[in-house]
Amino acid sequence: MQKRLIALSLLLGLLLHPLELLAATQNLVALEQAARRFVEQELRFRPATFTLGRLDPRLALPACEQPQVSWSAGAVPSGNSSLDLSCPAAGWSLRLPVTIAEKRMGVVAARPLKAGELLTPDDVRLAEMTSPALSRNVLNRLDQAIGQSMRSSVPAGAWLRSFMLQQPDVIRTNQRVKVLAQGDGFVATAEGTARGNAAVGESVRVRMASGREVSGVAQVDGSVLVSY
């Protein structure tokens, strides 16, 4: 009977030992999933895709309840980069390569646009530029186009380039405008007649009621600032 008990104890020891080792070993699949979630969160506001490296399946790491994931020291989250996977409590640290491919996006006309049109959000959209040769002078954000005026006509789907757009005129020839004269210690207002068109920040001449002409800078509200 005693011999049987000893044999049974040895058998249980052989069966349980691998299970204990398994329970104490870090799940590498879970570690890779944690790395993937980290990169997805980091790139959530960027038009980018990424490819993670793989951990060597032969690795046997002590199990970690809360493994940490971060960019490797000095790594740039673009192109060929790397992550540090670590567990200070268990005393291990790994480096996992990651390749990030940034999509180049450009602004295109969502419909045919005519010269002089003021662009709205419905007039433009973003599209991926598959060739670097296409990217020269192409706008890459919608806010660079919305609110701007077209210099020339373009068909639907055309790339919108910086030289195709201009700020809309806030002052037009013969328009009655408010003139704000400002100098050291004084401010005065009057009205006059614009002698030309002007966008915000551009210079424009104004004929005053006295017949005198002054030169000032067009403001957002359509007034003209004359500084002395």
Side-chain angles (χ1 to χ4, degrees):
M1 178 63 70
Q2 186 175 2
K3 290 182 178 180
R4 289 182 179 179
L5 289 175
I6 293 174
L8 181 59
S9 297
L10 290 174
L11 180 60
L12 287 174
L14 291 173
L15 291 174
L16 291 175
H17 185 62
L19 293 177
E20 291 172 354
L21 288 177
L22 182 61
T25 301
Q26 175 63 42
N27 185 325
L28 298 183
V29 173
L31 198 55
E32 290 179 347
Q33 290 174 345
R36 179 171 298 279
R37 288 193 299 269
F38 173 83
V39 180
E40 288 174 347
Q41 179 69 11
E42 289 286 295
L43 302 181
R44 66 190 185 282
F45 297 124
R46 291 167 55 185
T49 58
F50 67 93
T51 303
L52 276 179
R54 299 297 304 274
L55 294 173
D56 188 337
R58 296 170 296 179
L59 284 173
L61 303 172
C64 183
E65 291 186 3
Q66 294 183 326
Q68 298 178 7
V69 184
S70 63
W71 295 109
S72 300
V76 178
S78 180
N80 295 324
S81 189
S82 62
L83 303 173
D84 282 343
L85 313 180
S86 63
C87 183
W92 55 259
S93 178
L94 301 172
R95 182 156 292 185
L96 184 67
V98 56
T99 301
I100 300 171
E102 195 91 22
K103 292 181 181 179
R104 295 185 64 87
M105 306 298 288
V107 180
V108 299
R111 63 175 182 81
L113 301 173
K114 297 180 181 179
E117 278 198 77
L118 195 65
L119 298 182
T120 70
D122 293 333
D123 298 327
V124 291
R125 62 180 176 84
L126 287 174
E128 183 178 357
M129 291 184 286
T130 56
S131 170
L134 296 174
S135 64
R136 185 175 178 80
N137 296 322
V138 174
L139 305 179
N140 55 27
R141 300 197 319 269
L142 293 178
D143 62 357
Q144 294 174 322
I146 296 170
Q148 299 293 301
S149 176
M150 293 296 300
R151 291 181 181 271
S152 58
S153 299
V154 297
W159 299 106
L160 295 188
R161 305 177 189 275
S162 55
F163 58 81
M164 297 178 177
L165 307 177
Q166 63 183 0
Q167 286 191 328
D169 291 334
V170 293
I171 296 174
R172 296 188 177 277
T173 302
N174 295 325
Q175 177 183 330
R176 295 288 294 174
V177 296
K178 178 181 177 180
V179 178
L180 178 65
Q182 182 174 296
D184 187 15
F186 76 92
V187 175
T189 60
E191 285 194 351
T193 303
R195 302 292 289 166
N197 300 332
V200 174
E202 292 183 342
S203 179
V204 62
R205 296 192 65 79
V206 180
R207 184 188 295 277
M208 307 304 293
S210 64
R212 177 190 173 196
E213 288 194 1
V214 297
S215 180
V217 178
Q219 305 298 298
V220 174
D221 61 0
S223 64
V224 176
L225 175 63
V226 179
S227 299
Y228 291 95

